[in-house]
Amino acid sequence: MDVSELDFAPLTEPLDRADDQRAAALAREHGLARSEALGGCALIGLVLVACGLGALIFGAMSGPLAVAISGLVALVAIVFIVRSTRRETTAGRARRYRLQRFAERNGARYLPRVTAPVKPGRIFASLGGSVSGDVVDFAGPREIEVGRHSYLAGYRGGETRTWAYAAATLEHDAPRLTVDLRTRAGGARLAAPGPIDVALGDVDLSGLEHGDELAARFAVSSRVGRGETARGLLERTLFTPELVRRFRERPLDLEIVDRRLILTSPEMLPGVDPETWRWLLELLLDLADAIDADRRTAG
């Protein structure tokens, strides 16, 4: 893939009424319209229950005036929810339609929703509520896939975690490893789930150029017993001055698994921003090219 030849115009082109109708049809085709409606209905239901309880409690204490006030509050809340849900629904449909046009214009495939995808990688290992969305898949000798993935985590699966990801296939075997940011702009990093199929150990970065600085910023792990191999690969690829500078421009984690390079972030979503798409694809391809070139030389 040559990123300079991609047409990013569909990501920002204005939509007319016909486009809005096609966006709505796309949502219905993939079963997203129902989930959009259910989300708004659930919020309205919660408001009605809360206001109903308030009316019963305060009505018993203060009489009809309290009941009337509770009803007015419920009405205002419902109007606010309906308007907010409509705006979010419209924005979501427009985003999906633009991504679909972007994919079609560039010979890629767009998948608005993929339930329980089976793929290598830490963020895909969790089965609870696993779903990918806004997936743009570029076929070719080096397959490229960009999207977001959500799963349930926390106590009894009470928390939904969503990661943006960009993945590229590798031509050659490379050591299993992860490179994670230790901190992010908001403080402690949100860690990706650990792999469940292999034990990883910490990689010592001392001895590398700027090793102390790299170790303070990145937590590096590899398959137990392969630390030296992983460190050598990173020294010759990601941790070269130019690539590490670009990698640090935005909050990214990295994983190599099953001939697949995966960049992930809980904060950066490509969405429909052309510059983010261009930056992400160029970095992903340059890293993949560097890793494959290194593995060819290694043998």
Side-chain angles (χ1 to χ4, degrees), residues 62-107:
S62 306
L65 179 60
V67 176
I69 292 175
S70 297
L72 180 60
V73 170
L75 179 61
V76 171
I78 289 171
V79 170
F80 175 79
I81 290 172
V82 169
R83 288 183 175 179
S84 298
T85 302
R86 183 173 297 173
R87 283 196 298 269
E88 292 177 3
T89 298
T90 301
R93 289 177 176 178
R95 183 191 70 251
R96 289 190 292 269
Y97 184 64
R98 285 192 169 102
L99 287 172
Q100 183 186 51
R101 292 206 305 189
F102 168 67
E104 291 174 348
R105 192 81 59 88
N106 293 286

Side-chain angles (χ1 to χ4, degrees), residues 190-201:
L190 174 63
I196 60 177
D197 61 328
V198 66
L200 299 183

Side-chain angles (χ1 to χ4, degrees), residues 16 18 24 46 70 76 93 97 110 112 115 141 146 151 200 206 240 259 266:
D16 56 25
L46 290 175
S70 297
V76 171
R93 289 177 176 178
Y97 184 64
Y110 173 64
T115 303
V146 179
Y151 56 88
L200 299 183
S206 61
T240 56
R259 286 197 177 186

Side-chain angles (χ1 to χ4, degrees), residues 222-244:
S222 72
R223 187 188 295 269
V224 174
R226 298 293 304 278
E228 287 297 322
T229 303
R231 185 173 69 171
L233 172 65
L234 291 173
E235 182 180 17
R236 296 184 297 269
T237 57
L238 173 61
F239 289 159
T240 56
E242 173 62 17
L243 282 177
V244 78

Side-chain angles (χ1 to χ4, degrees), residues 34-46 81-82 85 89:
R34 182 172 178 269
S35 61
E36 293 167 348
L38 288 176
C41 290
L43 289 175
I44 292 174
L46 290 175
I81 290 172
V82 169
T85 302
T89 298

Side-chain angles (χ1 to χ4, degrees), residues 179-182 205 214-220 239 244 247-248:
V179 180
D180 295 331
L181 277 176
R182 291 190 182 277
L205 300 181
L214 292 170
R217 185 173 180 83
F218 300 109
V220 180
F239 289 159
V244 78
F247 188 75
R248 291 173 59 176

